[in-house]
Amino acid sequence: MSILFINGSPNKNGNTTRMANALMNGKDYRTLHLVDYRLYGYGQNFADDQFAEILEGMKEADTVVIGSPVYWHSMCGLIRNLIDRFYGPVSQGELGGRKFVFLFQGAAPEKWMLERAEYTMNRFARMYGMEYVGMATNEAEAKKLSEKI
């Protein structure tokens, strides 16, 4: 079983990564830091864009974990940009058979922020055929989800 953690935080060793470590609970996994990739906005076409590499990593994994800090009451721009890029080049159901977990951490997010983020990521997972395992907002919740991946 292979697990890919896509880290949306610009801080490679920050709270989002710590939460991923709690989720993995000793499991072997690969980390892709979005800050290291050129991922242009939806509708832009540049030869050095690396969306295809990121998508290929997701296709190779049995479980996909996406982590985002809470920025401006929502998921960070790198993650938002990544999911926006799925429109068009990725067919509905194309990532079928994979499990999907969303890690969303921040300083005291409000209930409405969590509800909107979970709705978006649950819908994203289902649209592309993945089994939505759940969302964790702290290390304790991540450790509970660990049993499901």
Side-chain angles (χ1 to χ4, degrees):
M1 174 182 226
S2 62
I3 303 170
L4 174 65
F5 168 51
I6 299 174
N7 183 16
S9 175
N11 185 350
K12 294 179 185 180
N13 296 306
N15 294 328
T16 306
T17 298
R18 275 193 286 283
M19 213 158 78
N21 289 333
L23 173 73
M24 303 314 170
N25 198 22
K27 295 174 177 75
D28 188 36
Y29 68 99
R30 179 176 157 234
T31 300
L32 184 154
H33 297 285
L34 283 181
V35 73
D36 292 336
Y37 287 77
R38 288 174 305 282
L39 182 65
Y40 296 104
Y42 179 77
Q44 292 182 304
N45 281 324
F46 295 102
D48 62 345
D49 184 85
Q50 294 178 289
F51 174 73
E53 286 178 50
I54 297 165
L55 179 60
E56 190 58 36
M58 293 173 78
K59 288 180 178 180
E60 292 171 358
D62 298 310
T63 300
V64 175
V65 177
I66 291 182
S68 174
V70 177
Y71 287 166
W72 289 100
H73 315 293
S74 188
M75 66 187 75
C76 68
L78 288 172
I79 296 300
R80 182 80 238 176
N81 194 38
L82 174 64
I83 64 175
D84 283 353
R85 289 293 303 278
F86 270 69
Y87 288 110
V90 184
S91 301
Q92 286 191 12
E94 193 167 333
L95 295 175
R98 287 160 191 79
K99 292 182 178 183
F100 179 79
V101 174
F102 182 50
L103 304 177
F104 192 46
Q105 71 77 34
E110 295 179 28
K111 183 181 177 190
W112 66 268
M113 295 176 209
L114 301 176
E115 289 169 349
R116 288 181 182 166
E118 183 153 47
Y119 171 83
T120 298
M121 295 314 259
N122 186 342
R123 182 162 166 83
F124 169 76
R126 287 183 293 120
M127 181 174 282
Y128 296 103
M130 295 180 283
E131 174 193 343
Y132 184 70
V133 175
M135 177 177 80
T137 62
N138 58 51
E139 288 186 29
E141 291 175 359
K143 286 178 184 176
K144 286 182 185 176
L145 280 179
S146 179
E147 299 167 11
K148 298 180 181 182
I149 63 169

